[in-house]
Amino acid sequence: SSDVCSSDLNMLAELGVPCLIHQARYSMLDRWTEDDHLLDTLETGGAGCIVFSPLAQGMLTDKYLNGVPEGSRMAQDKSLSPDLLTKQNLTHIRALNEIAQGRGQSLAQLALAWVLRDERVTSALIGASSVTQLENSLGALQNLEFSDDELKAIDKHAVEGGINLWSGPGTA
């Protein structure tokens, strides 16, 4: 939480140790960093944020738009349970995909551009398993600007999806 982060920043400052970067979960389906004011706390403390799981463990890619494909991580119930692909999450993911297409982006590119829209987010960790996925992700850099209308449309569907695979908010 931001209270813990704030006390950690204070403790580090007292010890003379600069905190330059904090790593936190953040995606369009996992926005706890906003609700908990973590980014505000980091900004006040002079630290940036590098986000992990910006693609919501793959849910914010085109992989699951039509359900759970055979051979996928979700189909194998490894690190991503099929229970997470709820009707509500799928509705939001499909709507976000339409917004992405309207911007000339893939869903993954939209998701990455969206987390990078905030200057306090200094970088996003991606877990590409192929050169094609890496190239697709890098394509997000071609369109990082959002209109107010796009952000309003995204906000209707960029909602908590219950996808925290780690215990407690913000646990890395």
Side-chain angles (χ1 to χ4, degrees):
S1 78
S2 65
D3 291 338
V4 171
C5 183
S6 183
S7 66
D8 289 348
L9 288 172
N10 290 336
M11 179 185 66
L12 289 172
E14 288 172 12
L15 295 172
V17 178
C19 178
L20 303 177
I21 194 83
H22 177 72
Q23 185 174 322
R25 277 184 349 268
Y26 186 44
S27 76
M28 291 192 290
L29 298 178
D30 188 3
R31 296 178 71 169
W32 76 270
T33 58
E34 295 170 7
D35 297 338
D36 203 42
H37 305 288
L38 176 68
L39 296 176
D40 296 334
T41 301
L42 292 173
E43 181 177 30
T44 300
C49 185
I50 183 169
V51 300
F52 71 94
S53 198
L55 300 179
Q57 298 296 303
M59 288 177 57
L60 291 171
T61 69
D62 61 2
K63 182 178 280 189
Y64 298 106
L65 289 172
N66 297 311
V68 181
E70 283 186 42
S72 68
R73 186 172 19 169
M74 191 176 280
Q76 297 170 29
D77 201 7
K78 287 187 175 177
S79 62
L80 192 60
S81 170
D83 296 339
L84 298 175
L85 197 62
T86 63
K87 184 176 179 179
Q88 179 180 353
N89 278 345
L90 194 52
T91 297
H92 290 302
I93 291 166
R94 287 176 177 157
L96 291 166
N97 184 59
E98 288 181 27
I99 294 168
Q101 289 177 344
R103 288 172 47 86
Q105 291 181 309
S106 69
L107 177 56
Q109 290 169 343
L110 171 70
L112 292 170
W114 184 84
V115 297
L116 293 170
R117 81 197 183 289
D118 190 314
E119 65 184 19
R120 298 168 298 184
V121 174
T122 58
S123 188
L125 297 174
I126 57 170
S129 62
S130 69
V131 172
T132 302
Q133 285 181 0
L134 179 59
E135 288 172 344
N136 181 278
S137 293
L138 289 173
L141 300 175
Q142 301 303 313
N143 188 4
L144 294 173
E145 300 298 319
F146 290 91
S147 70
D148 289 340
D149 288 342
E150 286 174 325
L151 290 173
K152 286 178 188 172
I154 290 168
D155 275 346
K156 291 178 184 175
H157 300 286
V159 298
E160 176 58 44
I163 59 162
N164 179 11
L165 305 181
W166 300 270
S167 61
T171 302

